[in-house]
Amino acid sequence: MKLFNFVKNFRNDEDGAVTVDWVVLTAAIVGLGIAVLASVSDGVTSLAGKISGELNGMSIATY
């Protein structure tokens, strides 16, 4: 009878399912962050190059 109760309780336990949900949600957030970083990195690099070129072309007036 103890074994039957153990199996019944084990089948109804949902703690592991919540852990799996959190792992999947965290993986989705990390994946989304990597996708955003990959899509924005070229534009940021280009903009940084343009800003650097503009700053290098400026002269500093010293008095």
Side-chain angles (χ1 to χ4, degrees), residues 19-55:
T19 303
V20 171
D21 290 343
W22 276 107
V23 168
V24 171
L25 182 63
T26 304
I29 291 171
V30 169
L32 184 62
I34 291 171
V36 167
L37 181 66
S39 67
V40 178
S41 65
D42 290 336
V44 170
T45 304
S46 174
L47 181 61
K50 290 178 184 177
I51 292 172
S52 176
E54 287 292 323
L55 289 176

